[in-house]
Structure formats: C-alpha cells, structure tokens
Amino acid sequence: MYIIEGNGRKTQHVWEHIKRRHTGDKICVVGFANALPENYLRNKQVIFYEALRQQEWLPEAETFIAKFEEQFDGMIFYVDCTPEEAAGLAEIAAKYNSRITATVAGEGEVAIKKLPLKKAA
C-alpha cells in the first residue's frame, strides 16, 4: 500500500502516482462528499466515488473494496486521514488483491511512501 503524505495540495502527486504505478490500470478515486479533486483529475478520465462518511470511514472503505475489487486494479482513497487510519486501511488492504493508496495528513512537504503489507492469514 502507498500513502501520499504531507501538508499541502496532493492532486498533482496523486496524478504522478497514478502515472507511475497504475499505467494501463483501471483505477478509481474514493473519498468524502464534496472533498475530491475532481476538476483536476476528471480531465484524466479517473472514476470518482464519493462513498465515504468522514466519521468511521474505515468500515465503509472495506465494504467498498470488497464490492469493487473485481472492477478496479487500484483504488486511491483521497481522505487525508491520520497515520493510524492509514495503518488500519493497510490492514484491510492486505486482505484484497487491489492496489490501495491513501492520502494522509502530515507535516512538511508532500511525499509518496510505500507501506509494507502484512498479508492476512
């Protein structure tokens, strides 16, 4: 699982990540209502889902992954979550085959990091 972490606008970094890690893949961007960078990424023909509520969104994320795993090669959760929530999403992602990325709020410049996945037993 990848995280795009930092304090600042992440849309350009998301697009660079898509080009670098998902070329030729069918992907979607999932997030909270009225909080997705659609204007910038819509021109890139990315599919959007405003499927999450800001409170208790991890169970909704797992339901979304389970429901749409067969349709997408990768999913980007544009949620600017906490590092703890990102770790929870990594645990969920380990159960599925889709490649998952999350945006994480953080200090400093925006950077893309790879989190090691612990495969579920």
Side-chain angles (χ1 to χ4, degrees):
M1 184 176 128
Y2 285 89
I3 61 170
I4 301 172
E5 180 178 29
N7 182 15
R9 185 177 163 104
K10 295 178 180 71
T11 54
Q12 181 63 35
H13 298 280
V14 168
W15 177 239
E16 292 298 322
H17 176 70
I18 290 170
K19 289 190 306 186
R20 199 170 291 127
R21 301 288 177 202
H22 295 285
T23 299
D25 291 346
K26 186 172 181 184
I27 64 153
C28 65
V29 176
V30 184
F32 307 127
N34 302 317
L36 291 175
E38 294 184 36
N39 290 340
Y40 179 79
L41 293 175
R42 189 176 297 275
N43 293 334
K44 316 292 189 204
Q45 298 180 342
V46 175
I47 298 169
F48 292 91
Y49 291 94
E50 292 181 342
L52 307 175
R53 289 177 286 139
Q54 291 193 9
Q55 301 298 329
E56 301 297 322
W57 65 272
L58 281 172
E60 293 175 350
E62 182 166 17
T63 300
F64 185 91
I65 294 167
K67 183 175 181 179
F68 291 103
E69 178 184 28
E70 298 292 321
Q71 294 179 25
F72 296 103
D73 301 308
M75 299 177 188
I76 297 175
F77 286 86
Y78 198 96
V79 292
D80 275 353
C81 62
T82 65
E84 294 78 21
E85 289 171 321
L89 185 60
E91 288 178 22
I92 292 168
K95 301 175 191 175
Y96 299 94
N97 292 324
S98 291
R99 290 176 286 159
I100 308 294
T101 300
T103 60
V104 178
E107 300 297 320
E109 295 294 315
V110 177
I112 300 172
K113 301 175 184 177
K114 185 172 184 175
L115 292 180
L117 285 182
K118 297 175 186 153
K119 280 294 179 190

